């Protein structure tokens, strides 16, 4: 999730390098570094991938690539590269801390905690990891026993870009913040994301809180040069609080390594809408763009207190929640910090206050599941109860924020960049489905070869959209148990280092005659040198060897196996059927095997862990040799990709 608090704009000249030096080596490194410093992470990553495709890649290049993936919220790729970084003898403790944070974002809480403990042993820096480690323990419990909230991606408004911070302004209307899809002016592109600056959208709101018919309305500030949003209002929908990025030329200037950066801080504007007509906007009294940002405003239920976010230097650290009280003359009083019970040395963001007075906010400074988690607290002004984590699935291993509770306290909206969304940040609706009836998915994970139970296997229960319903580790007997408020279609997935993963589908009809569905998952050992494993069918276009998108999904499973087993070295072999000449089939299979390796390398697997072999039609698995009449299905059996364990 992008905080949208500041926009650093580099005003000094960047280092320039003659074009002829950009062919390779140092020139490419300088180009990648320049792109990185300009926040053009996708372009920088493309170059860093090439620079790292060598036997002993430069450690700094690996760090930069890992950070690019982290900035772009591509956490799986970031994890693979941080894993390679921490195994480098020259790596630093900070790399282990970064690795732990990425593991946590990928819901690998036990591994993340080990990384945090290792960082502490090396540095004795308890302050940096204590909250993170506590969050790992809590997250393991929460994700194994989720609350009865139903989370629904609002797919009719979400896109492959960012949408977040839904705020109802009427029974049938919601305002939210998003990235426009089409931009014709390069000046309206944000370099960090490569997408348009944020604008205010509206959408229709149905009685069940689902959203539809998104559009960019004629809204004040939507023509601003930089970010606009989020927005909130009073209950009557007549007074709006609008966050925007300061568009002027008098922002804060800092000098770093001889380069001057102008920081475009955020500011808060207040504007009334009278009989459907927007009145003149006015600046919030405590905006100070040369010193700090102000934004993310929310009113108390009686509309006498305005809560908002600022990174003002006399707070607790990072961004804090502050408040101001409405005075008798209609002005807003002194800006005050909401206190240490709420605010931490990390970031507190996106406050909202429910009808019953409960404060909801996002934070990465309290123990949580991942990046930003959503918390609740009771109180007012600077006096609050201890914040309570809303647990899984309201929270996830990624960033969860912009929580809004509707008046019935049973449903509302949140925003998240969790896995399997439509874009970067997405809007989700939620409802609480309280039920006294429970359904269970129970079973055991065993060694496929010996039939012995496997302890410590990661067992994940997915819904039909591949969202995690719950996750557990199998116990000493290899057993697991998931409790559900209602049955639903989905799948089970089990994995353990040193084994091939296994999965099975679940049909909600299976629960009709019983309340418990019993399952058994078999993990096949990888430890045998010379053992051959056949991948699921990988299809290529006729006479081609490039990896198609459907094949990439299959190969990502092999990426997972290689990553989870870092000492595993394999041979990748591609095979054809008998049709075509021997020489042609040999070349085609070699090229196809090579394309598989190239794909794995692009996902961070070291090239020297893989050997390429194209076998052509030399190793048929059935009777379909030259001259034998076979069906297409029989020929397909021979068109396969396999990997063989070379060493462990």
């Amino acid at each position: 999730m992008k905080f949208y608090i500041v926009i650093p704009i580099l005003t000094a000249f960047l280092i320039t390098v003659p074009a002829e030096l950009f062919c390779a080596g140092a020139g490419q490194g300088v180009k990648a570094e320049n792109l990185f410093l300009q926040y053009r992470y996708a372009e920088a990553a493309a170059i860093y991938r090439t620079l790292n495709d060598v036997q002993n890649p430069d450690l700094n290049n690996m760090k930069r690539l890992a950070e690019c993936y982290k900035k772009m919220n591509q956490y799986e790729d970031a994890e693979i590269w941080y894993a390679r970084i921490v195994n480098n003898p020259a790596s630093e403790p900070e790399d282990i801390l970064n690795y732990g944070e990425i593991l946590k974002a990928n819901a690998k809480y036990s591994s993340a905690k080990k990384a945090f403990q290792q960082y502490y042993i090396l540095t004795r820096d308890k302050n940096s990891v204590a909250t993170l480690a506590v969050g790992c323990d809590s997250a393991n419990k929460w994700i194994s026993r989720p609350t009865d909230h139903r989370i629904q991606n609002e797919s009719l408004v979400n896109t492959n870009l960012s949408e977040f911070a839904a705020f109802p302004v009427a029974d049938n209307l919601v305002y939210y913040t998003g990235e426009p899809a089409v931009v014709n002016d390069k000046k309206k592109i944000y370099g960090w994301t490569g997408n348009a600056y944020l604008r205010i959208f509206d959408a229709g709101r149905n009685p069940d809180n689902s959203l539809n018919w998104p559009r960019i309305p004629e809204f004040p500030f939507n023509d601003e040069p930089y970010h606009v949003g989020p927005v909130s209002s009073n209950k009557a929908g007549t007074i709006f609080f609008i966050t925007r990025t300061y568009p002027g030329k008098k922002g804060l200037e800092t000098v770093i390594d001889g380069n001057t950066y102008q920081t475009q801080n955020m500011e808060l504007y207040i504007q009334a809408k009278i009989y459907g007509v927007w009145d003149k906007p006015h600046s919030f009294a405590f905006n100070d763009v040369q010193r700090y940002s102000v934004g993310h405003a929310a009113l108390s239920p009686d509309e006498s207190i305005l809560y908002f976010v600022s990174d003002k230097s006399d707070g607790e650290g990072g961004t804090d929640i502050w408040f101001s009280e409405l005075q008798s003359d209609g002005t807003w009083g002194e800006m005050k910090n909401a206190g240490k019970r709420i605010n931490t040395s990390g970031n507190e963001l996106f406050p909202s206050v429910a009808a019953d007075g409960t404060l909801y906010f996002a934070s990465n400074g309290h123990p949580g599941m991942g990046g930003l988690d959503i918390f609740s607290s009771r109180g007012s002004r600077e006096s609050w109860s201890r914040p309570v984590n809303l647990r899984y699935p309201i929270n996830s291993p990624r960033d969860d924020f912009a929580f809004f509770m509707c008046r019935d306290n049973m449903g509302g909206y949140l925003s998240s960049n969790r896995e399997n969304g439509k874009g970067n940040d997405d809007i989700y609706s939620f409802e609480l489905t309280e039920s006294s009836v429970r359904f269970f998915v129970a079973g055991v994970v065993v060694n496929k070869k010996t039939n012995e139970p496997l302890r410590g296997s990661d067992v994940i229960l997915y819904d039909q959209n591949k969202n995690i319903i719950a996750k557990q580790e199998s116990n000493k007997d290899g057993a697991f148990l998931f409790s559900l408020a209602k049955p639903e279609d989905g799948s089970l997935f089990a994995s353990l280092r040193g084994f091939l993963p296994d999965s099975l589908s679940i049909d909600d009809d299976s629960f009709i005659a019983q309340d418990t569905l019993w399952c058994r998952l078999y993990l096949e050992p990888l430890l045998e040198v010379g053992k051959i494993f056949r991948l699921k069918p990988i299809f290529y276009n006729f006479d081609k060897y490039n990896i198609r998108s459907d094949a990439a999904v299959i190969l990502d499973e092999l990426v997972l196996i290689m990553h989870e087993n870092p000492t595993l070295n394999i041979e990748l072999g591609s095979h054809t059927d008998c049709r075509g000449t021997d020489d042609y089939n040999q070349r085609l299979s070699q090229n196809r095997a090579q394309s598989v390796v190239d794909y794995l390398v692009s996902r961070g697997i070291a090239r020297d862990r893989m050997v390429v072999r194209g076998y052509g039609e030399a190793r048929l698995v059935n009777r379909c040799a030259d001259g034998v009449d076979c069906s297409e299905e029989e020929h397909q059996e021979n068109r396969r990709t396999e990997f063989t364990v070379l060493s462990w």
Side-chain angles (χ1 to χ4, degrees), residues 105-160:
N106 288 333
K108 298 180 179 179
Y109 295 115
S110 298
S111 297
K113 185 177 180 180
K114 290 178 182 177
F116 297 142
Q117 290 171 334
Q118 185 179 359
Y119 174 82
Y120 172 71
I121 291 171
L122 293 172
T123 65
R124 296 295 168 181
D125 179 9
K126 184 177 181 180
N127 292 334
S128 294
V129 294
T131 299
L132 292 169
V134 171
C136 289
D137 290 335
S138 298
N140 264 331
K141 297 176 183 177
W142 296 332
I143 203 168
S144 66
R145 296 190 295 272
T147 65
D148 289 340
H149 286 91
R150 183 190 66 84
I151 309 296
Q152 179 68 40
N153 186 292
E154 291 302 315
S155 57
L156 294 182
V157 301
N158 292 322
T159 69
N160 62 341

Side-chain angles (χ1 to χ4, degrees), residues 189-255:
I189 297 294
Y190 185 29
W192 185 310
T193 63
N195 300 325
Y197 286 106
L198 298 167
R199 293 293 179 258
I200 299 302
F201 289 68
D202 67 20
R205 179 188 176 204
N206 299 318
D208 64 354
N209 288 329
S210 62
L211 303 177
N212 55 27
W213 305 111
R215 64 174 187 139
I216 300 180
E218 292 185 4
F219 191 88
F221 300 101
N222 258 350
D223 291 329
E224 294 287 332
Y226 300 136
H227 293 313
V228 181
V231 64
S232 64
S233 76
N234 62 352
K235 284 180 282 191
T238 57
I239 300 175
F240 287 77
F241 301 89
I242 305 161
T243 302
R244 73 166 185 177
T245 302
Y246 171 65
K249 298 181 179 180
K250 296 182 180 180
L252 174 67
E253 289 190 352
T254 55
V255 178

Side-chain angles (χ1 to χ4, degrees), residues 141-142 145-147 369 374 389-396:
K141 297 176 183 177
W142 296 332
R145 296 190 295 272
T147 65
M369 295 191 66
I374 299 166
N389 191 294
L390 297 194
R391 301 170 51 187
Y392 189 79
I394 293 294
N395 289 315
S396 75

Side-chain angles (χ1 to χ4, degrees), residues 322-542:
W322 300 70
F323 71 93
S324 174
E325 297 187 71
L326 187 65
Q327 306 299 296
S328 58
D329 61 359
T331 62
W332 290 102
E334 179 185 359
M335 174 179 175
K336 297 180 180 179
N337 193 280
K340 293 183 178 181
R341 183 61 71 91
I342 292 294
N343 294 314
T344 68
S345 60
N347 293 304
E348 281 67 51
L349 298 156
F350 295 98
S352 69
V353 188
D356 65 357
T358 302
L359 173 69
Y360 296 96
F361 64 97
S363 173
N364 61 10
H366 296 282
M369 295 191 66
L372 291 171
D373 271 29
I374 299 166
F375 296 83
S376 68
S377 180
R378 300 300 301 269
S380 66
R381 300 173 177 85
E382 62 268 270
S383 179
W384 297 97
S385 64
R386 182 177 180 178
V388 175
N389 191 294
L390 297 194
R391 301 170 51 187
Y392 189 79
I394 293 294
N395 289 315
S396 75
R398 303 289 170 82
D399 287 320
D400 305 285
F401 57 100
F403 183 93
F404 182 87
M405 178 70 79
C406 294
R407 292 189 175 276
D408 60 6
N409 282 338
M410 296 294 287
Y413 302 99
L414 62 87
S415 302
S416 180
N417 65 351
R418 62 186 62 190
E419 282 191 287
N420 301 310
K422 287 195 66 176
N424 190 355
D425 300 321
D426 279 0
I427 295 169
Y428 292 80
S429 60
F430 67 86
E431 65 176 357
L432 182 61
T433 56
E434 294 180 330
S435 173
S436 59
V437 179
R438 307 301 297 184
F439 297 86
F440 302 94
V441 178
V444 64
V445 185
V446 299
N447 184 318
K448 185 176 182 179
K449 185 176 181 179
T450 66
N451 215 37
E452 295 175 346
L454 292 174
R455 179 178 185 173
S457 301
D458 281 330
V459 186
I460 304 175
L461 179 62
Y462 291 104
D463 67 16
Q464 59 186 337
N465 297 316
K466 292 298 288 183
N467 297 306
I468 296 176
I469 298 175
K471 177 182 177 181
Q472 294 180 8
E473 285 189 3
S474 58
N475 65 17
K476 60 182 179 62
D477 299 315
F480 58 88
L481 175 67
F482 295 109
S483 174
L484 306 173
K486 62 183 182 67
E488 57 183 298
D489 293 340
S491 61
L492 271 175
F493 178 87
S495 63
L496 181 65
R497 183 172 176 175
F499 293 83
L500 279 182
D502 189 22
S503 62
L504 57 87
S505 297
I506 293 176
D507 188 339
D508 63 359
D509 290 340
S510 303
F511 289 95
I512 291 177
Q514 55 189 345
D515 60 6
T516 302
L517 184 62
W518 295 96
C519 309
R520 197 172 183 88
L521 292 157
Y522 298 88
L523 305 190
E524 189 169 2
L526 276 168
L527 301 176
E528 300 177 32
V529 174
K531 190 167 184 177
I532 298 174
F533 297 91
R534 184 182 300 184
L535 298 176
K536 295 177 183 177
I538 298 176
F539 299 107
Y540 302 86
N541 292 328
F542 177 71

